Amino acid sequence: MKRIVACLLLVTAGCRDRSPPAPTEEQSAQLNEAEDMLNAEAANEEGPADRSTGPSNSSD
């Protein structure tokens, strides 16, 4: 009987919800603002320079 109770306690302990709490409305707004700022920053960055028309690095 003690083994059955112990097994039931272990099973119920393993079933509890361990997910993080959902963000509040204020936190969600802050996250959206930060995402918008990062997207704007990424859009302003220049990519690598185009080296296809430049001189080669081989020495003759």
Side-chain angles (χ1 to χ4, degrees):
M1 182 68 178
K2 289 182 182 181
R3 290 183 183 176
I4 293 173
V5 172
C7 287
L8 287 175
L9 288 174
L10 287 174
V11 168
T12 46
C15 292
R16 68 178 177 195
D17 186 19
R18 293 185 181 166
S19 62
T24 64
E25 190 172 325
E26 181 182 350
Q27 290 171 332
S28 182
Q30 289 175 342
L31 289 170
N32 288 337
E33 183 180 345
E35 183 181 14
D36 291 342
M37 289 171 44
L38 288 172
N39 288 338
E41 185 68 29
N44 289 335
E45 288 184 3
E46 294 182 9
D50 183 16
R51 297 181 179 211
S52 61
T53 58
S56 65
N57 289 337
S58 62
S59 59
D60 292 314

